[in-house]
Amino acid sequence: MANFYVDNTLFFGHHAGNAQGGGNSPEAYITLTSSCGESDGAFEHHGIRITGGTGEGQERKITGYTAGDYKATVDAAWETVPDATSVYEITYGCDRNSGQSRTTGSGAAGPWRSVDKACASVGPGGTIYVKAGRAYTGANAEGAVATIRFVGIEYNPIRLLGYKETPGDADARPGDASRRAVLDGEGAATYCLATSADIEEEPVLHWEIANLVFRGATSDGCNLAPPYGQGFLRNCSAKGNGGNGFQLNGINALLDCEACDNGGHGVYGGNLSLTGCAAHGNGGWQIHMFDGMAERCTVYDFPANAGGIFAGWQSGTVDQCTVDGVNRTGTGVLLNTVCGIASNNIICRCDRGVQGKGFEIKMARNNLYWDNTYDKWNWIDDQVGGIGGDPKFVDRDGHDYRLMPDSPAIGAAVNGGDVGAYSRGTVPAGSPTCVGMQT
């Protein structure tokens, strides 16, 4: 149950520059830029990586530094000796370390630079703490910024957690972007986080992933592919990826997560449980699930050929969600299931507010419909409590879906609470108003 640490932060002062040269005799070294004003020993036990020019891609640990000649000695000979064309950066983490805290001792006892290194080293019960502040980039041999290669076990999952200053500090500030570590595909990596083909036949994944951002992948931001994978994602965001934001197979739960502006679906997968999530501006369905439940979720701004929330296969439940088609496009909620339930939702400004297909059992209760071209399509009237009227959001066009005091949604839920995602005192993460309380 070891803890590991990943820190891609540049040496204080954002130290990077052009080398003056390097060599392997009498020991391996690199001569830093003459504008470097650090004192003797400044960079010891930090990582140096050649990011451009001669020797690009090489990484070493700095073992000593003398300010007089700007020479940094390193822990192993260069395969390609740096020269005056070499561009370097010096980071707190180095993949030649052992993955320990930045404050633990010296020598090899330092953090890693890449999340991929940590994912290749952790075992059941282990925790990887990933420092926020500077994006983790690059693509490994499998085309991902980081690849999960091992599975956890029941009651001993593997945890991958972002933090800002102190491990665990993001848990008290859900939705605070500065406390989320970023995995950025930069338009080059296929995935930000993916699973290895070697574990596809494992029965369960058993990973907890929290406080991370997945962006810039050419395909899916976060792809957990084992057929019976089991994962828990909390306070994560997938944005601006070419495919789906989250591609999840098996049994997975998402709490306070956000998927926006992805080319495919926002969230896609089977056996999903989503609570307090936000999805908007994606090219497909904002939430597309099989045998799943969406609760207290906020979705808006979806294309005409898709919609807000799709639930298929045997069962689907959409409860206490706010769905806004904005321009009367697409279907707000489509339940293509044997057993479908839609209750306590606000569904507005869609072409088809709620649509049913393939039902044996279907239930609609206490939904508020407003300004849809059709409130219901192949659907039944709400058995109880269905209402209409302007829901009176605080700022509809600004996507602030809290309710004004005179909203008809207040007190209209089955249990006497409020209809929609923004029950008094709760605001889902990833929304424009993710702090404070509704009045």
Side-chain angles (χ1 to χ4, degrees):
M1 297 186 183
N3 292 340
F4 298 107
Y5 299 83
V6 180
D7 189 345
N8 193 38
T9 308
L10 288 171
F11 185 88
F12 63 85
H14 303 284
H15 196 87
N18 284 84
Q20 299 184 68
N24 282 328
S25 180
E27 56 187 336
Y29 70 92
I30 182 172
T31 304
L32 306 184
T33 175
S34 60
S35 62
C36 177
E38 304 298 334
S39 58
D40 287 351
F43 304 109
E44 291 180 10
H45 315 306
H46 290 73
I48 186 165
R49 185 165 175 259
I50 309 301
T51 60
T54 300
E56 180 177 0
Q58 294 180 103
E59 181 175 11
R60 298 292 185 270
K61 173 187 279 291
I62 295 176
T63 57
Y65 177 70
T66 53
D69 55 6
Y70 309 106
K71 181 180 289 186
T73 55
V74 296
D75 65 338
W78 299 104
E79 296 169 6
T80 302
V81 175
D83 60 22
T85 70
S86 302
V87 181
Y88 66 84
E89 64 179 25
I90 298 175
T91 55
Y92 284 100
C94 179
D95 284 352
R96 300 171 72 90
N97 285 337
S98 59
Q100 300 306 301
S101 170
R102 185 194 295 185
T103 59
T104 302
S106 60
W112 287 314
R113 178 189 56 79
S114 69
V115 178
D116 191 55
K117 173 68 174 181
C119 288
S121 307
V122 70
T127 298
I128 302 167
Y129 291 109
V130 184
K131 183 75 165 60
R134 184 168 183 253
Y136 297 84
T137 60
N140 60 24
E142 296 167 296
V145 176
T147 299
I148 293 173
R149 297 180 176 86
F150 302 100
V151 299
I153 58 177
E154 191 173 9
Y155 306 116
N156 278 306
I158 296 172
R159 300 193 302 161
L160 178 63
L161 311 177
Y163 73 98
K164 183 179 181 180
E165 299 294 341
T166 305
D169 62 7
D171 295 345
R173 299 279 295 275
D176 184 344
S178 69
R179 296 172 188 272
R180 289 172 171 167
V182 176
L183 276 65
D184 192 341
E186 294 188 316
T190 305
Y191 308 108
C192 293
L193 181 66
T195 49
S196 169
D198 295 337
I199 63 172
E200 286 188 355
E201 300 304 321
E202 294 288 343
V204 287
L205 192 61
H206 286 309
W207 274 64
E208 177 186 350
I209 301 167
N211 315 321
L212 297 180
V213 175
F214 310 105
R215 72 185 186 200
T218 59
S219 186
D220 306 325
C222 177
N223 185 308
L224 306 184
Y228 302 104
Q230 185 179 69
F232 176 51
L233 293 102
R234 173 170 50 85
N235 193 34
C236 290
S237 176
K239 57 178 64 176
N241 298 288
N244 300 324
F246 297 95
Q247 168 80 37
L248 309 170
N249 295 339
I251 302 171
N252 293 278
L254 292 87
L255 175 65
D256 296 335
C257 292
E258 175 190 25
C260 62
D261 302 325
N262 299 287
H265 304 299
V267 180
Y268 181 90
N271 292 295
L272 299 182
S273 175
L274 296 94
T275 303
C277 296
H280 54 89
N282 299 290
W285 287 88
Q286 307 312 291
I287 297 173
H288 189 296
M289 57 187 180
F290 300 95
D291 288 338
M293 178 183 73
E295 179 183 25
R296 289 197 298 107
C297 294
T298 305
V299 301
Y300 61 89
D301 189 18
F302 38 81
N305 62 347
I309 302 175
F310 174 98
W313 201 242
Q314 296 296 316
S315 63
T317 299
V318 180
D319 182 67
Q320 210 169 344
C321 293
T322 295
V323 181
D324 182 7
V326 180
N327 297 310
R328 291 188 181 178
T329 59
T331 299
V333 176
L334 193 158
L335 298 181
N336 184 16
T337 58
V338 174
C339 177
I341 300 172
S343 58
N344 305 315
N345 304 294
I346 297 174
I347 305 171
C348 63
R349 300 197 295 180
C350 301
D351 180 32
R352 301 176 180 182
V354 62
Q355 179 178 351
K357 189 176 181 181
F359 288 101
E360 292 181 10
I361 302 172
K362 49 189 173 182
M363 179 182 293
R365 301 185 66 182
N366 296 66
N367 298 298
L368 187 156
Y369 307 96
W370 177 71
D371 199 25
N372 302 294
T373 305
Y374 306 95
D375 288 338
K376 308 176 186 72
W377 189 274
N378 191 31
W379 188 252
I380 54 176
D381 290 333
D382 285 28
Q383 285 93 334
V384 294
I387 59 175
D390 185 345
K392 295 186 178 180
F393 299 123
V394 169
D395 182 4
R396 181 174 62 237
D397 294 333
H399 308 298
D400 182 345
Y401 295 109
R402 294 175 297 167
L403 305 175
M404 297 292 286
D406 58 343
S407 169
I410 291 178
V414 173
N415 61 1
D418 302 338
V419 170
Y422 289 73
S423 294
R424 282 166 285 188
T426 63
V427 180
S431 69
T433 52
C434 59
V435 294
M437 296 180 64
Q438 176 178 310
T439 58

